[in-house]
Amino acid sequence: MRKLTRLMSQRYDRRLAAADINVNQYSILRRIGRNMRTVSELARELGMDRTTLSRDLKPLIARGWVEQVAGEDARQRPLRVAAAGVRALKQAMPLWRDAQDEIETLLGSQRTLRLHAQLDEAIRRLDHKA
């Protein structure tokens, strides 16, 4: 599983390098772009440790791609994608799609669908047991 993850991440990272972004950063931006959310909420959705996510967010905030905004509660600082982050996503989306298409071509459409279904089921089962 780890080797498969590394191999797939490498393919995405090679494509996304043209937009100066990696697959983890792309995933974080996409997730935040859908709805503002706190670091805790985002970590839960991504299946990441909060500390790891905070570390991964630092370069995105430093580049002006993500910003923290005042929340309803002073303890909460929701994240949102800034205008520069929107531009980065627009540049990266077709590159991500190219990587996705390359992987699907190599694996075949049916195998890719089966793999997604199996991964979704494994995630559901493991998340349920957490």
Side-chain angles (χ1 to χ4, degrees):
M1 293 286 281
R2 287 182 185 263
K3 185 175 182 178
L4 175 61
T5 300
R6 280 192 299 275
L7 289 170
M8 292 183 83
S9 291
Q10 289 168 1
R11 288 189 182 277
Y12 283 105
D13 284 343
R14 277 196 299 269
R15 295 289 181 138
L16 291 169
D20 197 25
I21 190 172
N22 66 44
V23 71
N24 287 340
Q25 293 169 332
Y26 178 81
S27 181
I28 291 167
L29 282 175
R30 286 285 308 259
R31 206 48 93 135
I32 297 170
R34 292 185 190 136
N35 282 321
M36 281 196 314
R37 54 192 34 89
T38 65
V39 172
S40 294
E41 292 167 337
L42 186 59
R44 220 174 4 264
E45 286 179 28
L46 292 169
M48 295 177 76
D49 178 75
R50 197 173 133 62
T51 305
T52 302
L53 177 58
S54 292
R55 187 182 61 239
D56 288 351
L57 281 167
K58 284 181 184 176
L60 299 177
I61 292 169
R63 294 177 91 171
W65 290 356
V66 171
E67 54 195 12
Q68 291 183 312
V69 296
E72 295 175 17
D73 181 335
R75 294 170 292 166
Q76 291 184 340
R77 303 272 311 182
L79 302 165
R80 76 170 165 212
V81 176
V86 172
R87 288 189 297 276
L89 272 173
K90 284 183 181 178
Q91 183 182 5
M93 279 184 192
L95 302 169
W96 182 88
R97 182 80 245 159
D98 288 345
Q100 188 81 359
D101 291 346
E102 176 188 11
I103 290 167
E104 187 169 327
T105 297
L106 290 169
L107 297 179
S109 297
Q110 290 305 310
R111 186 172 287 123
T112 300
L113 288 172
R114 285 193 309 271
L115 180 59
H116 278 285
Q118 290 171 340
L119 292 171
D120 288 344
E121 176 64 14
I123 289 167
R124 187 186 65 73
R125 286 175 182 236
L126 291 173
D127 256 357
H128 180 71
K129 301 292 182 196

